[in-house]
Amino acid sequence: MRTRIRSPRRVAVLATVAALGAGLLAGCADDGDSSGPSGGTDANGKTKITVGVFGAFGLKEAGLYDEYMKLHKNIVIEQTSIERSENYRPQLLTHLASGSGLADIQAIEFNYVAEITETQGDKLVDLGKAEGVKKDNFLPWKWEQGTTKAGKTVGLGTDIGPTGICYRKDYFEQAGLPTDREAVGKLWAGDWQKYLEVGKQFKAKNVKGATFVDAASGVLNAMLGSSTERFYDKDGKLVYKTNPAVRDAWDTAASFSEAGLTAKVQQFTPPWDQAFANGRFATVTCPPWMLGYIQDKAGAAGKDKWDVAPAPKPGNWGGSYLAVPEAGKNKEEATKLVAWLTAPEQQAKLFEKRGSFPSAQAAYSLPQVSGAKHPYFGNAPIGQIFIDAAKGVPVQPVGPGDLVISQNLGDVGMLQVDQKGVSAADGWKAATKAIDNALDK
């Protein structure tokens, strides 16, 4: 995430999700324009719906487009993709502002959904009024984040990233800690400070070659995702500097580094990948998409050594939305497609085939979700673990600067604390200065 956000979706597509019945497929285009002109008709006179996404978004790879086209013989779906979400966002904003060059359906990542709803909501169709769309099908916080202040729902949630903690059972055993996932979860239940204390206990046992966590920035991100208020308050006021929850997350994450509990690796970089392969740390913040990443990077040597437990507090890391621009040529058919793609049944299929956890709570009773287990992680009941986490995620206010703030807290500030030994106070000053400069532009 170095000076830019690396999309969790992008890194997750590198992994396999064997427990869910299918490997993740490579399916990204290059970093060209993700939108292009909206649909119209193809050479055979069929209605063409264009979809602009980032990375291997999963809908195409899971076969959902093909299924829809079989059900609707008059529809052709064409998808274009930009590999990196950070390159996709400015193009989307430019096209929305100009009202041209848009696909009939555009994906939106959670990091900038507030920016879209606040500044471009009038350029998007109200999907909350679409036939078959039910607000109660979705988690309340996910629905709210895709809704403008005026009550117009312009983004329907696809997936989310409810967090757990992945941990190495063999390292916990060597440290004299419990290895059963329920007992492990109880070690830090309800309190991130307890997670820190367990880390200190782990370090005292001198487990050879292993630190307790991967990076202080991972702890920071997880804590921020679990607070009821983060960077903005419910009235839309920027409060990240004065919000006690942000400073508590900052100070706690810095304490992990200062206590020597981190591997001091930068997440989503080759050294981090290698650290998984070498078994350099015992725990990592773990949304559903991380499972496949760990399996891919840790390989056969990590099978049955990794497991999943609940996080100290439920939070969210990741997720996206689908929106329909008002400037599209096929708004009506595009709206029908979005309603179908985000319906509980399709979200359950996407989880089963791609590991993308549903934002539709109505999908949680479906067997593909509720009964999901992961053999690489000791047959952990990942469906139920992440269902419980998803239901506990707070309805957190989001704002247009979320992406910039999150990026700089981790990449400018906490990275210096963790890797360069900068004090927590000086790291905070560096991060806030970078944030203020970015927001003032």
Side-chain angles (χ1 to χ4, degrees), residues 24-72:
L24 297 187
L25 307 176
C28 312
D30 60 21
D31 281 357
D33 194 315
S34 73
S35 48
S38 63
T41 57
D42 71 355
N44 297 316
K46 293 185 177 182
T47 299
K48 183 172 68 174
I49 302 175
T50 56
V51 185
V53 302
F54 44 86
F57 201 77
L59 300 173
K60 179 179 179 180
E61 295 81 358
L64 293 181
Y65 295 159
D66 288 339
E67 183 178 347
Y68 190 82
M69 288 187 287
K70 286 180 180 178
L71 295 171
H72 302 81

